[in-house]
Amino acid sequence: MFDYATLRVIWWALLGTLLIGFAIMDGFDFGVAGLLKVLGRDNEERKVLLEGIEPTWEGNQVWFIVAGGATFAAWPMLYAVSFSGMYFAIALVLLALILRPVGFNFRGKIHDPRWASLWDWVLTGSGLAVMLVAGIAFGNLFLGLPFRFDDDLRMNWHGGFIDLLHPFALLCGLVSLGMLLAHGACFAALKADHAIAVRAVAIARWTTLVFAVLYVLAGVWLAYGIPGFAITGPVVTEGVSNPLYKQVVHGSSWFAGYMQYPWFWAAPLLALASAVGVQALVGRRSVTGFIASSLMVGSTIASAGFALFPFLLPSSLDPRSSLTVWDASSSRGTLQLMLLATLVLLPIVILYTSWVYRVMRGRVTLEQVRKAHGGY
Amino acid sequence: MILIDADVVTLSRLQFALTALYHFLFVPLTLGLVWMLAIMESVYVMTGREVWKRMVQFWGVLFGINFAMGVATGVTMEFQFGMNWAYYSHYVGDIFGAPLAIEGLMAFFLEATLIGVFFMGWERISRIKHLLVTWFLALATSLSALWILIANAWMQHPVGSEFNPATMRMEVTSFSEVFFNPVAQEKFVHTVSAGYVLGAMFVLSISAWYLLRGRNVDFARRSMTVAASFGLAAALSVVVLGDASGYTVSLNQKMKMAAIEAMWHTEPAPAAFTLFGIPDVEQRTTHFAVKIPWVMGLIGTRSLDETMPGIAELVDAAKGRIGNGIQAYDAMLMLRQDKDNVQAKATLATHDKDLGYALLLKKYVDDPRQATPADIQKAADSTIPNVPVLFWAFRIMVGCGFYFIALFAFSFWKASTRTLDSQRWYLRLALWSLPLPWIAIELGWIVAEYGRQPWAIEGVLPTALGVSSVSAGQVLASLGGFVFFYTALAIVDVFLMLKFVRKGPDGLGIWPPAIAAMPSGQH
């Protein structure tokens, strides 16, 4: 079908697509959860917010599961190194993801304000944790991570959780937080009772502004303060998936790709244009405002992915061990089969997901929530 | 060479076993209960009788609590391969990752997307559409099990793949062999049937409790009737297909089979089945064995003249394979120096199926080529799984299986003659049988997975080599976290389950309609 190099690029793009799908679809669930205590002033208002995301959050979270599974299948080394290396960071995300399904289901099962409040905090905390940690982890990709392979390709990691908290990575965490809180607020503006939606609009404007400023700041820092990685010598795109066959230098620029392919600039420009779009639209046309925030999320992640290309996971300890698109993939047969599976199944997923959103459309009003005290 | 810490191996295995066994408390119930919901809702749509809809809603509440726990604990399983089994993930991700990813795309997406409509869509879509949602939900859960078991079956019987020395990992040669692995098919039917038995028992037992209390009588009788018929079919299938699974195991994992049977030495065909006995690992014999002639040979080989190898003979065979494996290992290292070495390529091609056996030596010696005969003996002995545990786990599981057939057959007869609530001892029996399917299911996991040891991938990758390069302290911390949060969640789960069972359809205002407050919309 395709040659190995093309398949690898396609799978790099698909990995990006799944991550963006996760950030857009589950991102607003995290955002709404993170803003739960700010947007919802009492139990009923928080119920309105939660009922807005309740019918669909579970399907949204599968984007993450599938992104994880696809990484396992298409980029096994990336999956193995990142999950085991960032052990405690991943464990924190895992804890957040474990507590979400039970939080949504258990919250309404006992009628006691303390019980509801407990789960409100759990959902808020897990939302904030995932948004922050995801950004911090992404930021660390630009700094390089402290790992190396031995000749058996067994990975060894020299560092701990604290080492991930570099100021640049923390800034990336805040970019992620601002972006997804804005996205969540845009969803609340679209879905929640008007009384709450007004508040959501104001928060969406603020968080978008904060996001845009921090995003530009991170870009400038990346350009002038963070050395990039580059493959030296011939770049073998059709070779075997063994990172140790190449040479890498740490000290170039992360903007080299942007200079080589000027169309990459479309991504950061779109991210900023969408931020302006959110400012302009969220108060007046909530659907278009939400589309703008989705574009903002998608193009921000794409802009980071473009800068990293062809690197997936650079190693600061032993640059040669860095994982790139050209030497960390599965075999050609696996990439091919997984591409086929994705091309057939993902459109079907999008089809029934759209149907579900259509069935569950409409604002959740305070009146509805008051009326529906069925108790079970 | 990075040395592997034995504590990391032990702790990682403990964590995996605990989280998998815990996850496996919820998944089978989801698998079974969702079909009960689909059956009940079908009756509702066909007859239009409101009570059947209310049955779906009541059992749906319990289903929802359990579903949330299944989803929450399932995330752990996907994360854990990368977090704690990084070398495993690298070594076999090329094959093992694909069914997991396809499971997400084909099944879990569908399941998780429809669950919201199932609970909150009653008023928003037509009856027929809602029924379709429930059916697709049921199909998706079973489909999910299929892909997970395809991945698991490959760990038991790694087909369609070969070792690639350039990438130091297993790579796929034929996905159709991986997907149509005979072990996968038998495991799938056996496992989902076990889930169906659990789902049926759950409804049967709780309904019996209502009948004992004289509450929700017509509601409980109807539920019991569905449970009895569905349970009988499932119990028959779990035993018959479990037997098929035994046959496949005996073909592909002879050591696991010999350990289950505590068959220390090859017996003349057809071998006897040891009904009872006390396996003695030191002496390599089984004391007080009560044997039924011929039965084992028939189950294991489907013939009267084929012999089944005993443990001692399999250890000898393992020694031979370790010898071949060392040659393959040597060839692999030569290829690392010179990837065009023709002779090394030929040696590896001849012996690559035994490379995993050389890796068993890594536990005792850094370089398998330096192994002494004593090391080889130790490595060969290490291929024997824990015989007494497997022996007993298997017998209790099978005993439960036959009991389920009897109980559901009796229940079915009582349901047919409309005498379900005529005898209180029967209702008590049905109530107190509730834990048994869970016990059988957990033991089944132990037989299948603990019985696979010392291998992560049978004959290919020893479990001890699969771990991540993390510290014992890290694993201990995450293990402690799991124990803490899983215990807390278990307490909440049991508390909520009991609370809603006690409230019952009457207390929740679901049925009878006279006191039904709100029709639906909430869960």
Side-chain angles (χ1 to χ4, degrees), chain A:
Chain A
M1 196 161 55
F2 294 108
D3 60 43
Y4 204 1
T6 312
L7 275 169
R8 282 166 163 163
V9 175
I10 290 175
W11 264 103
W12 173 78
L14 276 179
L15 179 62
T17 308
L18 289 171
L19 278 180
I20 289 171
F22 164 63
I24 291 178
M25 301 295 285
D26 215 12
F28 71 75
D29 295 329
F30 288 119
V32 170
L35 294 170
L36 197 58
K37 290 277 183 181
V38 182
L39 284 176
R41 296 206 172 145
D42 56 33
N43 188 36
E44 270 173 1
E45 291 195 353
R46 288 192 280 275
K47 261 194 172 163
V48 168
L49 287 162
L50 289 176
E51 274 180 31
I53 53 177
E54 222 176 320
T56 45
W57 79 268
E58 200 140 12
N60 295 341
Q61 191 150 303
V62 181
W63 283 91
F64 184 80
I65 306 291
V66 167
T71 312
F72 197 172
W75 307 101
M77 294 181 114
L78 173 63
Y79 171 70
V81 174
S82 59
F83 274 55
S84 65
M86 299 192 251
Y87 194 79
F88 284 126
I90 297 285
L92 191 63
V93 173
L94 171 59
L95 176 64
L97 296 187
I98 287 176
L99 291 176
R100 276 160 58 80
V102 286
F104 278 106
N105 189 288
F106 290 179
R107 186 187 184 278
K109 291 272 190 291
I110 295 175
H111 293 286
D112 181 326
R114 283 166 302 174
W115 179 257
S117 171
L118 167 74
W119 289 108
D120 285 344
W121 280 116
V122 166
L123 290 172
T124 305
S126 68
L128 293 174
V130 174
M131 292 185 282
L132 256 174
V133 173
I136 291 174
F138 224 107
N140 271 288
L141 299 185
F142 292 102
L143 300 165
L145 290 157
F147 67 94
R148 73 163 91 235
F149 290 106
D150 71 2
D151 289 337
D152 290 336
L153 290 186
R154 182 178 288 279
M155 186 275 287
N156 202 2
W157 186 278
H158 298 265
F161 180 67
I162 301 298
D163 301 312
L164 299 178
L165 305 179
H166 183 281
F168 176 74
L170 292 178
L171 176 63
C172 292
L174 292 179
V175 170
S176 161
L177 189 64
M179 171 177 90
L180 294 177
L181 285 179
H183 189 44
C186 285
F187 185 76
L190 167 81
K191 191 74 181 174
D193 192 289
H194 285 289
I196 304 168
V198 174
R199 247 172 274 153
V201 167
I203 291 180
R205 290 209 173 109
W206 269 108
T207 44
T208 312
L209 186 65
V210 170
F211 156 75
V213 171
L214 295 181
Y215 178 66
V216 172
L217 197 66
V220 173
W221 193 342
L222 189 65
Y224 295 102
I226 311 285
F229 286 74
I231 301 176
T232 55
V235 177
V236 185
T237 58
E238 296 268 352
V240 292
S241 282
N242 186 330
L244 300 179
Y245 290 167
K246 67 171 177 311
Q247 292 303 323
V248 169
V249 60
H250 186 190
S252 70
S253 165
W254 280 123
F255 281 81
Y258 278 85
M259 298 306 148
Q260 199 180 349
Y261 311 103
W263 62 268
F264 277 10
W265 286 103
L269 292 179
L270 183 60
L272 291 173
S274 313
V276 176
V278 171
Q279 296 284 349
L281 293 164
V282 65
R284 289 182 293 133
R285 312 182 60 128
S286 53
V287 176
T288 328
F290 180 70
I291 293 173
S293 73
S294 303
L295 276 176
M296 182 174 89
V297 171
S299 45
T300 301
I301 296 174
S303 70
F306 286 159
L308 284 166
F309 188 86
F311 286 87
L312 298 167
L313 199 66
S315 165
S316 52
L317 186 69
D318 175 32
R320 180 177 82 114
S321 287
S322 298
L323 303 181
T324 73
V325 171
W326 313 123
D327 56 22
S329 77
S330 286
S331 66
R332 190 163 170 250
T334 300
L335 292 186
Q336 213 153 319
L337 176 101
M338 286 307 302
L339 175 60
L340 196 69
T342 311
L343 287 182
V344 173
L345 294 170
L346 202 56
I348 301 176
V349 170
I350 291 171
L351 213 65
Y352 60 66
T353 305
S354 325
W355 178 75
V356 167
Y357 273 87
R358 219 167 57 84
V359 167
M360 304 308 300
R361 71 183 175 277
R363 276 184 198 278
V364 181
T365 62
L366 279 164
E367 198 187 349
Q368 265 175 320
V369 167
R370 283 189 200 116
K371 228 171 59 183
H373 269 300
Y376 63 93

Side-chain angles (χ1 to χ4, degrees), chain B residues 181-265:
Chain B
N181 190 341
V183 177
Q185 290 160 31
E186 263 128 33
K187 267 185 166 294
F188 168 66
V189 222
H190 181 61
T191 308
V192 293
S193 304
Y196 301 166
V197 169
L198 175 56
M201 187 68 87
F202 187 80
V203 172
L204 190 83
S205 302
I206 294 171
S207 305
W209 186 73
Y210 289 135
L211 290 185
L212 279 169
R213 298 274 168 128
R215 283 172 59 189
N216 303 305
V217 173
D218 58 340
F219 194 99
R221 270 199 212 124
R222 281 190 174 88
S223 299
M224 270 185 111
T225 307
V226 176
S229 11
F230 186 67
L232 179 59
L236 283 170
S237 136
V238 85
V239 171
V240 172
L241 297 160
D243 163 61
S245 176
Y247 177 57
T248 320
V249 167
S250 76
L251 286 181
N252 299 309
Q253 290 178 301
K254 296 192 165 70
M255 182 58 97
K256 187 195 274 181
M257 194 65 177
I260 287 171
E261 293 312 324
M263 201 161 82
W264 300 100
H265 297 281

Side-chain angles (χ1 to χ4, degrees), chain A residues 4 18 47 51 54-70 72-73 76-77 79-81 83-85 87-88 90-91 93-95 97-99 101-102 104-106 108-111 115 119 148-157 159 240-242 245 328-334 337-338 341-342 345-346 349 352-353 355-356 358-362 368 371-376, chain B residues 1-2 4 15 57 61 64-65 67-69 71-72 75-76 78-84 86-90 93-98 100-102 104-106 108-110 112-117 120-121 124-125 129 133 164 166-169 171-172 175 179 329 332 336 362 465-470 473-475 477-478 482 485-486 489 492-493 495-496 499-500 503 508 510 518-523:
Chain A
Y4 204 1
L18 289 171
K47 261 194 172 163
E51 274 180 31
E54 222 176 320
T56 45
W57 79 268
E58 200 140 12
N60 295 341
Q61 191 150 303
V62 181
W63 283 91
F64 184 80
I65 306 291
V66 167
F72 197 172
M77 294 181 114
Y79 171 70
V81 174
F83 274 55
S84 65
Y87 194 79
F88 284 126
I90 297 285
V93 173
L94 171 59
L95 176 64
L97 296 187
I98 287 176
L99 291 176
V102 286
F104 278 106
N105 189 288
F106 290 179
K109 291 272 190 291
I110 295 175
H111 293 286
W115 179 257
W119 289 108
R148 73 163 91 235
F149 290 106
D150 71 2
D151 289 337
D152 290 336
L153 290 186
R154 182 178 288 279
M155 186 275 287
N156 202 2
W157 186 278
V240 292
S241 282
N242 186 330
Y245 290 167
S329 77
S330 286
S331 66
R332 190 163 170 250
T334 300
L337 176 101
M338 286 307 302
T342 311
L345 294 170
L346 202 56
V349 170
Y352 60 66
T353 305
W355 178 75
V356 167
R358 219 167 57 84
V359 167
M360 304 308 300
R361 71 183 175 277
Q368 265 175 320
K371 228 171 59 183
H373 269 300
Y376 63 93
Chain B
M1 178 65 215
I2 295 153
I4 291 166
Q15 179 176 295
Q57 290 180 334
V61 175
I65 297 171
F67 187 84
M69 291 292 286
V71 171
V75 186
T76 307
E78 199 202 29
F79 273 59
Q80 212 172 174
F81 286 107
M83 286 175 70
N84 294 91
Y87 199 65
Y88 171 99
S89 302
H90 153 69
D94 197 66
I95 305 120
F96 188 80
L100 294 193
I102 296 176
L105 279 167
M106 190 187 277
F108 192 37
F109 245 133
L110 185 58
T113 307
L114 293 184
I115 190 93
V117 184
M120 283 159 267
R124 287 174 179 254
I125 49 176
K129 275 190 187 154
V133 165
N164 181 349
T167 54
M168 279 304 291
R169 67 182 181 195
E171 289 183 357
V172 79
F175 266 118
F179 293 166
Y329 189 85
M332 177 193 86
R336 202 177 278 169
K362 288 240 178 190
L465 287 192
V467 291
S468 303
S469 309
V470 291
Q474 280 176 305
V475 189
S478 60
F482 278 121
F485 282 103
Y486 275 18
L489 287 181
V492 178
D493 177 71
F495 175 80
L496 288 178
K499 174 185 157 164
F500 283 94
K503 273 198 166 180
L508 289 167
I510 294 179
M518 265 306 296
S520 64
Q522 288 297 292
H523 74 95

